[in-house]
Amino acid sequence: MSDTGGDDADKNGKTAGSARQLFGHKGGAKPWDAPRTPPPPPPAESKDTSSAPYPRDATYTPRPSAEEKPAASSEAKAELESQLGPLDDEGELTKLHPNYKLLMRVGAIIVALVIIGGAAVLELALSQEIDFPTGIILGPAVLVALFIAIRIPLARYNARGYQISRDRLRVVRGILFRSDTVVPFGRVQHIDVDQGPIERALDIATLTLHTAGSHNASVRLPGLGHALAVEMRETIRAHIKRETL
């Protein structure tokens, strides 16, 4: 009986194995299906973010405000402090930067070349029409051009200057028509420091004060060193801020 039972068990096991091959297992897989393998585990996240375009823990430094911006050089501060004093109509004016004389000379040379060129063209046109003496127009034009290029820049430079105190700025300019303007800082609405390409190359700037009112609403002070112009602007702004508090 035991042998028969063992044979029956073997037969039943073989039959069950054949059935599993033919009809699959209890999970429902078919014998012709590819064996199912579990998906691979996800790769572990690397903590090295050196190559990431946007690091997770990025820190951003805020822009400094106008009060936190670096001020002008100590030389400009010392120069401005030495100029601050009471205004005196008979006092000596502070001269502009020496490079401003060169800037005015460049402009005068351009005007002189235009005068010489126009005189040469006019004389050539007249000589072709009539018997016109050579040099009767070009000669005086050259003399005028030389006077403009040599003397006028020096005279304009010597006629310009300024005085600055704790609460106002005096600007003097003009050769034939003299202009003497005093601007109280309390009337100033905003201030500009401008530089053209030639001024940038010469390291000079123009300080412009925009005031309330229609008469002399904008007062320009050209020919300042750039660092000094920035320091003057900050000094005037500080005075305005104190007045408005």
Side-chain angles (χ1 to χ4, degrees):
M1 289 297 292
S2 60
D3 293 338
T4 305
D7 294 338
D8 292 340
D10 294 339
K11 289 179 181 180
N12 292 335
K14 291 179 180 178
T15 303
S18 301
R20 281 195 298 268
Q21 291 179 0
L22 292 175
F23 303 107
H25 52 75
K26 292 187 294 182
K30 302 299 184 295
W32 53 82
D33 291 342
R36 295 181 180 179
T37 57
E45 295 183 0
S46 175
K47 295 183 179 181
D48 184 13
T49 58
S50 58
S51 61
Y54 301 102
R56 293 180 177 180
D57 300 330
T59 57
Y60 301 94
T61 304
R63 288 186 178 181
S65 60
E67 291 76 14
E68 297 174 352
K69 291 182 179 179
S73 62
S74 57
E75 292 81 2
K77 289 183 179 179
E79 183 180 357
L80 181 59
E81 287 293 334
S82 64
Q83 296 175 10
L84 293 176
L87 297 186
D88 183 8
D89 292 343
E90 303 298 330
E92 184 178 359
L93 298 174
T94 302
K95 293 296 183 183
L96 302 177
H97 198 282
N99 288 345
Y100 184 59
K101 189 191 306 182
L102 178 59
L103 177 64
M104 290 191 295
R105 195 174 297 280
V106 170
I109 289 175
I110 294 174
V111 174
L113 291 177
V114 171
I115 292 175
I116 293 175
V121 170
L122 179 60
E123 186 172 296
L124 180 61
L126 292 177
S127 63
Q128 291 178 352
E129 296 293 335
I130 58 176
D131 188 12
F132 197 78
T134 304
I136 195 170
I137 296 179
L138 186 59
V142 170
L143 295 177
V144 172
L146 290 176
F147 178 78
I148 291 175
I150 297 175
R151 294 296 302 172
I152 295 299
L154 183 60
R156 291 180 62 193
Y157 179 80
N158 292 330
R160 293 193 173 191
Y162 69 95
Q163 287 181 331
I164 185 170
S165 68
R166 299 287 179 182
D167 61 347
R168 61 192 62 205
L169 175 67
R170 178 188 177 204
V171 179
V172 179
R173 62 187 182 276
I175 300 176
L176 296 178
F177 301 95
R178 193 75 167 170
S179 174
D180 192 337
T181 305
V182 177
V183 183
F185 294 158
R187 292 182 53 198
V188 176
Q189 293 183 333
H190 60 278
I191 316 159
D192 294 332
V193 175
D194 303 316
Q195 275 186 309
I198 302 179
E199 289 177 315
R200 194 178 302 113
L202 298 175
D203 195 27
I204 58 178
T206 299
L207 180 71
T208 305
L209 306 181
H210 301 275
T211 62
S214 57
H215 181 65
N216 287 333
S218 297
V219 178
R220 299 175 71 253
L221 178 58
L224 296 173
H226 182 258
L228 178 60
V230 172
E231 185 62 28
M232 290 175 66
R233 179 188 64 186
E234 297 304 318
T235 300
I236 298 172
R237 286 178 57 189
H239 182 276
I240 297 172
K241 186 178 295 185
R242 289 193 302 267
E243 290 292 325
T244 55
L245 292 179

